[in-house]
Amino acid sequence: MAALLCSLILLQAFGLVFASPIQPQSWATTLWDVIVVGSGPAGIIVASRLSESGTKKVLLLEGGGPSYGITGGTERPQWLAGTNLSRVDVPGLYDTIFSGPTNLTCGANEVNAFIGCSIGGSSAINAGLFFQPPQSDFDTYFPAGWKYADVLPSINRLYATQPSSDITSDNDVLYEQSGYTAAKNWLVTGAGFSEVAINADSANKTKVFGHPIYDYKNGQRGGPVISYLQTALTRSNFHLQSGVWVNRVLRTGNVATGVLANSSGVLSTISLAAKGRVIISNGALKSPELLMKSGIGDPAVLTRLQQANKLGSLPPSSWINNTAVGAGLFDNPNTFIELSSPTVQSYTYSYNSPIPADASLYLKSRSGPYSFASEISVFWDYITHADGTKAGMQGTIGTAGYDGYTNNNTVTLNIYGTSGLKSSGKVVLDSNFVPGPQGVYFSNPQDAQDIATFIHNIFATLPKSSGALTPLNIPATATQAQILTYLTTPSAYAVGEVNHWSSSCRLGACVDVNTTVIGMSNLNVVDASIVEPFTVNPQFGIMVAAERAAELIEGLS
C-alpha cells in the first residue's frame, strides 16, 4: 500500500489525478459499482450516464494522460503560450498531430496502429467530424434492440448534450472555401448531386454534397471531454483517473471481480462492489486485447498467452472460448486523389509558424482558418449490386495537397468505402503480445471493384472548362481497370489506414444485445468494437452506441 500511495503522489505531481469529490488517495481502495476502462468517446459517455443517478460509484480509468487544456494538457506550440489551450483545443492543429512528436497517441508497446491514448481517446486527435448515420445503417446492419427506432432516443440525447455545427468560426464565417466552390461545380452542377444540410437530411446518402459538421464549441474542439465529462466530474460518485493501464479483468468464473491495474509501474487490484460491473471501452484494437488477456477469446490465442504467463493464475477450465473476440475488424479503405484548379487556393496549416494574421484572429476571437480541421466538403453515394445490396461511398476534400502535390492550387480528395463492404480482418497479438490489425483491406475483391466504379463514375462528370478541377496523380480519363490497380497498389495515396477501427467485438457474436460479453455476467464492451461499419465517419455512431448501451446496462442492474 505504501508503494501505491507513493505512485499516487507521483501521479499528482505530473497532473494526472483529476478533480472529483472522491479523494485521489482512495480511488484504488474504493469498492466501485462500475469500472470503465478507457476514456475515449464511448467510455466517457457510458461512465457519465451511469453516474447520473448518483446511486452508483463510477470509476473511469485512462492509461494515457492529459489532452485538452481543461484536462491539464500543455502540449502546445509557442504561439499558444500564455493561454489555457493545448494543441488539442485548436481544430486547425489537427493535421499536425500526424506529422510530429506527441504524447497524445499510443506508443509502440501499446498498439500497432495510430490511435489516441489520452483523455478523450481518438476524439482528442481526430478531425471531430460529426455525421449522423442514416436510418438505414441501423435498420439494415444492426440486430433487434438496435434498430433506428430503438436508438432514436439515444440520438436525441446526444444532440441535446453535444454541440455541433457546420460553421465553426465564432464570427460565423466559413473560411478557405475555394475548394468547396470548385467541388460543388463538379459534383452538384456536373454530376447531379444535391447540396444538402448534412445532418438535417441524415437519412439521405444518395448523391448528396455539403459542408462538413464538426462537434466543436466556440471555435474550439469539442467532443465528450468538453460536454459529458465536465458535468460528470462535478458528481460526488464519479472519478476519473489517468495514467492507469489495465492489464486484465479479474474474474471468478463468469463473474468479474475487478481489474489488475498498473499505475506508474505499481500493480494493484481495483475491486468491484457486490453486483458491480466492468465495462471495457478501450477501442476496437485494445478492447479485444483486454478480453484475450482476461482469458476470453480464441483458444489458440489464449494458449499462447498462458504459455507466456500472461493470464495470471486463470486455468484453462476457466477460459471462455470465443473466436468472435477480435474478429470482423473494419477500417475504411481510403484513396487520396490530388486535384488542382487555377480557381483553388490551397491552405496549409502550421504547428509552429501559422500566418500571423490567422493566429491573431484565432487567439482574439476563435475565428479564422484555425477554427476548423481542414475538411471543406463532404459527399456520399452508394454502389448498388445485382442482389440489391449496397456499398456506401464517402468523399471528403481538404484545403491542401499531399505528399508530391503541394502547390498553391491543389487540394486532396479522400475517397472512403463505408457501409456494406465485405472485407474485414481481425485483431492479432504480435510476438510481444501487442495488439494490431491483420488482413483488413480488400480481402473481398468486390470492395475494390465498388470503389473503382465510384471513382470512375464521378471522374466521368468532371467539367471540361479551363478552370475545372483536374486530377494530378491519376488521369481523369483512367479506365475502371486502371483505377482499380491504382487504389489496390500500396503507395502514399492508396491502401492506407484511416484508423477508423471498429466492429471487432460484434453484437450477437462477441457481446449480446445488452453489450454483455458472451459467457460473462457483469462484463461489458462499449465502444467502436460493437458497432457495424457506418456509411459515415464513425464517431457520431459510436457516441450513439454508448448512449444506447448505458440505457441497456441500467436496465440490467
Side-chain angles (χ1 to χ4, degrees):
M1 180 58 70
L4 179 57
L5 290 175
C6 179
S7 172
L8 288 168
I9 291 169
L10 285 172
L11 284 170
Q12 287 177 298
F14 285 96
L16 296 178
V17 172
F18 290 86
S20 80
I22 293 172
Q23 292 302 307
Q25 66 268 24
S26 68
W27 69 267
T29 56
T30 297
L31 297 180
W32 297 96
D33 298 299
V34 179
I35 299 172
V36 180
V37 182
S39 73
I44 288 175
I45 290 173
V46 74
S48 176
R49 290 302 187 200
L50 293 178
S51 69
E52 276 185 329
S53 68
T55 61
K56 297 183 180 70
K57 292 180 181 178
V58 177
L59 175 64
L60 176 59
L61 295 174
E62 169 57 45
S67 52
Y68 298 71
I70 199 169
T71 70
T74 58
E75 194 173 298
R76 62 172 66 96
Q78 184 59 36
W79 65 277
L80 293 180
T83 73
N84 61 355
L85 303 175
S86 80
R87 72 187 302 170
V88 173
D89 294 290
V90 182
L93 295 181
Y94 145 73
D95 275 338
T96 69
I97 293 172
F98 299 91
S99 58
T102 178
N103 293 320
L104 300 170
T105 56
C106 299
N109 62 330
E110 291 299 333
V111 66
N112 293 315
F114 193 94
I115 61 174
C117 273
S118 63
I119 296 170
S122 289
S123 70
I125 66 169
N126 64 24
L129 294 170
F130 195 66
F131 304 135
Q132 180 178 337
Q135 175 177 338
S136 58
D137 279 0
F138 295 101
D139 288 342
T140 302
Y141 303 112
F142 281 72
W146 287 80
K147 301 300 186 183
Y148 183 73
D150 302 308
V151 302
L152 183 56
S154 301
I155 292 171
N156 292 336
R157 287 194 299 273
L158 176 58
Y159 273 126
T161 309
Q162 178 59 58
S164 62
S165 179
D166 60 349
I167 302 177
T168 60
S169 183
D170 247 17
N171 63 3
D172 292 329
V173 174
L174 285 167
Y175 287 84
E176 307 307 323
Q177 293 297 295
S178 61
Y180 183 92
T181 301
K184 179 180 175 180
N185 184 47
W186 169 23
L187 294 166
V188 176
T189 304
F193 281 61
S194 299
E195 186 178 24
V196 300
I198 297 301
N199 281 354
D201 195 16
S202 64
N204 183 12
K205 290 295 177 285
T206 301
K207 289 192 131 181
V208 295
F209 171 90
H211 293 285
I213 311 294
Y214 293 95
D215 63 356
Y216 301 166
K217 183 179 181 181
N218 301 326
Q220 295 180 203
R221 180 191 290 270
V225 171
I226 301 301
S227 49
Y228 290 82
L229 181 59
Q230 299 313 306
T231 301
L233 284 168
T234 66
R235 299 179 186 131
S236 62
N237 58 314
F238 176 91
H239 186 72
L240 163 66
Q241 191 71 34
S242 70
V244 179
W245 297 95
V246 172
N247 290 11
R248 62 179 175 269
V249 177
L250 302 174
R251 60 186 180 87
T252 302
N254 70 343
V255 178
T257 59
V259 298
L260 180 66
N262 185 333
S263 174
S264 294
V266 178
L267 291 178
S268 60
T269 296
I270 305 171
S271 298
L272 287 174
K275 300 183 180 179
R277 185 172 296 274
V278 174
I279 300 172
I280 302 174
S281 298
N282 259 357
L285 295 174
K286 289 190 66 63
S287 286
E289 174 209 16
L290 187 51
L291 288 175
M292 294 170 191
K293 291 179 178 178
S294 304
I296 304 168
D298 186 326
V301 176
L302 301 186
T303 299
R304 280 185 60 211
L305 288 165
Q306 184 194 43
Q307 291 170 346
N309 195 30
K310 299 291 185 181
L311 297 181
S313 59
L314 192 71
S317 59
S318 295
W319 294 356
I320 297 174
N321 297 326
N322 188 346
T323 57
V325 174
L329 179 67
F330 180 81
D331 185 27
N332 301 113
N334 77 302
T335 303
F336 290 151
I337 298 171
E338 304 307 310
L339 302 170
S340 184
S341 166
T343 67
V344 168
Q345 179 62 52
S346 302
Y347 188 90
T348 302
Y349 294 87
S350 172
Y351 182 70
N352 288 310
S353 303
I355 296 170
D358 292 344
S360 177
L361 183 59
Y362 187 79
L363 290 172
K364 289 179 179 178
S365 64
R366 300 297 187 266
S367 299
Y370 280 80
S371 68
F372 75 103
S374 77
E375 303 297 340
I376 51 177
S377 64
V378 64
F379 57 97
W380 285 272
D381 200 3
Y382 292 102
I383 298 298
T384 302
H385 306 131
D387 63 0
T389 60
K390 295 180 178 181
M393 300 289 144
Q394 175 181 310
T396 58
I397 296 178
T399 62
Y402 175 70
D403 197 56
Y405 300 90
T406 56
N407 69 34
N408 290 334
N409 303 112
T410 302
V411 293
T412 300
L413 165 63
N414 191 2
I415 298 291
Y416 298 161
T418 62
S419 61
L421 267 61
K422 302 178 185 299
S423 301
S424 65
K426 63 181 179 178
V427 178
V428 297
L429 303 180
D430 68 12
S431 59
N432 294 315
F433 301 98
V434 175
Q438 183 183 80
V440 175
Y441 309 105
F442 302 137
S443 58
N444 188 310
Q446 181 67 58
D447 296 341
Q449 290 282 0
D450 289 343
I451 297 169
T453 298
F454 177 63
I455 294 172
H456 188 259
N457 289 349
I458 60 175
F459 270 17
T461 67
L462 278 162
K464 302 299 189 289
S465 61
S466 59
L469 289 167
T470 301
L472 300 178
N473 54 343
I474 182 170
T477 55
T479 65
Q480 189 165 322
Q482 290 170 327
I483 295 171
L484 179 65
T485 298
Y486 170 78
L487 68 90
T488 55
T489 303
S491 71
Y493 309 100
V495 201
E497 295 177 348
V498 181
N499 297 293
H500 290 170
W501 306 109
S502 73
S503 312
S504 56
C505 185
R506 300 196 188 202
L507 293 163
C510 176
V511 295
D512 67 19
V513 294
N514 293 313
T515 75
T516 304
V517 174
I518 291 174
M520 292 291 294
S521 63
N522 63 334
L523 176 62
N524 295 69
V525 175
V526 180
D527 59 22
S529 307
I530 68 171
V531 302
E532 297 296 317
F534 290 110
T535 302
V536 299
N537 286 61
Q539 182 157 296
F540 190 114
I542 292 165
M543 294 167 76
V544 170
E547 284 276 9
R548 176 62 175 156
E551 178 183 22
L552 292 168
I553 291 168
E554 280 282 19
L556 295 175
S557 60

